[in-house]
Amino acid sequence: MTRSLPEETASTTVDVLPAGGPAAAGPATGSRLARLYVTLPMANVALYLLWLGVGSFLLPIQVAEITGHNDTTALSTASTIGAVLATVGNPVFGQLSDRTRSRFGRRAPWILLCAALGALALVAQAQAASIAMLGLSWGVVQFIMNGYQAALTAALPDRVPAPKLGTFSALVGLGVPLGTIVAALVIGGIPGTKFGLDGVIGGFDGAFAGEKGYYLIAAAVFVAAVLFVVISPDQDSRDLPREPFSLRRFLANFWVSPKDHPDFGWAFLSRLGVMLGYFIILTYNLYLLADHIKIAPADLLPTAGFLMIVNALCTVVASVLIGPIADRVGKVKPFVFVSGVAAALALAIPILSPTEGGMLAYNIVGGMAFGVYLAVDMALITKVLPRGADAGKDMGVINIANAGPQILAPTISGWIVAAGGYEALFPVAAVVSLVGAVGVLRVRGVR
């Protein structure tokens, strides 16, 4: 089966208060906390610029250049290799950062190292000349950059005080929509006619829809990592207790028993459902526009960019509004549930109206639903993590619920399209999202 372009990427976040065992050096206060309001979202935006810029634009464009046509099988192969390695990378690097003892803290060394190696891997990926090499290089990038993500998101439980979890959850969640906006503007461009203007806004005549796009993203990731580490330095971790290394214990530590930690298990399944429903559509987004909505080939990238930006702006607005509200009311579970239900309802719009206008309405409603979810999801996860001392590892495990859907979605979406056409993607994604929303109701230890 062959056709068009985009897709995927990694994964999101969490927070935690120690539930046994030492955390880092306690929550940040004063100016150290104030700087985090800027540096943490900035570093996360750079990460999602990578995930969305490469996964939704550069990777499918490169597949088309290598194969000579829009080959969905090749795209799925390259994407799946990367997502599998991403699933492994997050908990591995998370546990390594938990065990790190240095004057620069537990997380900073891994943030810098992974950003530098990830940037080099992106440069190498730009040169890939076969699907096998493309899949392998993208896998290496995702494996390394999930180390960056695991260490970065662990800064939340390390440094953010409990009363600010909702606000910081919303700020970190902005990485997804803001990364989307930057990627869509720089690589895809936006039709000027949408705003009463001529030509295309951004896009730069395709200058970054290839090698230069990889170089730009590599630079953005590395610069953001350096700024985060320098402006918001980690605290010295040399005095934290050290456990003797045991490979058997290291491997066994990746398992979090759902029997002993049922809230963690239900939160994992809830996130898995919501994210899988999201990626079932995102995986074939350009294919939907090209084959189902019948967007002309010349208008495909600008139209996709415009819809992505609309979705992202709605996500930003909802996330910024809901995060502080959740802090005030002291509840997060109702917001997660409502966002999942709203996302499912949004998926009904393209079923009733399979047009560009229907996709626009879907992206508005779906973007707002996703913004509500991003605003509180991390705060929910934070409250169910088993141990503060293992925050990096446990967040890596929970982030499998982000990478897992990226592995499953290309195959599941292909089956759905083969069996019922592109229009069948929407009801299936809606049911999956609803299952994820209902799962959060089983979390007992969080309001």
Side-chain angles (χ1 to χ4, degrees), residues 109-400:
W110 293 102
I111 291 174
L112 279 179
L113 177 63
C114 289
L117 293 178
L120 292 175
L122 281 169
V123 172
Q125 184 175 338
Q127 310 303 318
S130 68
I131 295 301
M133 287 304 300
L134 181 61
L136 179 61
S137 59
W138 181 224
V140 171
V141 169
Q142 292 214 62
F143 179 77
I144 293 170
M145 290 307 298
N146 268 270
Y148 171 101
Q149 181 169 7
L152 182 67
T153 56
L156 287 160
D158 289 352
R159 306 192 206 181
V160 176
K164 299 296 183 181
L165 287 178
T167 298
F168 270 88
S169 179
L171 287 173
V172 174
L174 289 178
V176 178
L178 293 181
T180 299
I181 290 172
V182 176
L185 275 174
V186 173
I187 302 174
I190 312 300
T193 53
K194 301 292 185 182
F195 306 97
L197 303 173
D198 295 328
V200 176
I201 301 171
F204 304 98
D205 294 324
F208 296 104
E211 284 187 30
K212 290 182 180 179
Y214 280 110
Y215 304 151
L216 178 67
I217 292 172
V221 167
F222 183 70
V223 169
V226 171
L227 290 176
F228 178 80
V229 169
V230 171
I231 297 174
S232 296
D234 205 350
Q235 297 191 35
D236 192 323
S237 64
R238 288 175 293 181
D239 292 336
L240 292 177
R242 301 171 184 264
E243 293 183 3
F245 179 78
S246 164
L247 180 59
R248 181 178 179 182
R249 187 170 185 177
F250 182 85
L251 296 175
N253 202 32
F254 290 120
W255 172 249
V256 179
S257 171
K259 180 179 179 181
D260 296 335
H261 304 285
D263 282 352
F264 183 87
W266 283 112
F268 179 95
L269 290 175
S270 175
R271 175 182 276 197
L272 183 69
V274 172
M275 298 306 291
L276 181 57
Y278 178 74
F279 278 108
I280 283 175
I281 300 299
L282 182 62
T283 294
Y284 276 9
N285 185 43
L286 285 188
Y287 310 155
L288 281 165
L289 293 176
D291 295 343
H292 185 54
I293 308 300
K294 306 300 182 183
I295 302 298
D299 299 328
L300 187 58
L301 276 179
T303 300
F306 172 70
L307 293 176
M308 287 175 70
I309 286 184
V310 168
N311 184 290
L313 289 174
C314 292
T315 300
V316 169
V317 171
S319 185
V320 169
L321 290 175
I322 295 301
I325 292 174
D327 280 340
R328 290 194 192 98
V329 302
K331 295 181 180 181
V332 296
K333 195 163 67 173
F335 294 101
V336 175
F337 177 73
V338 168
S339 67
V341 173
L345 293 175
L347 288 161
I349 298 175
I351 298 174
L352 300 174
S353 178
T355 63
E356 184 177 346
M359 289 298 291
L360 175 61
Y362 157 69
N363 277 281
I364 291 172
V365 179
M368 295 183 68
F370 197 54
V372 173
Y373 180 78
L374 291 179
V376 295
D377 172 60
M378 289 184 291
L380 170 73
I381 298 298
T382 296
K383 298 174 185 295
V384 301
L385 292 184
R387 289 202 330 142
D390 294 330
K393 182 271 296 182
D394 289 336
M395 287 195 293
V397 171
I398 205 77
N399 276 338
I400 292 174

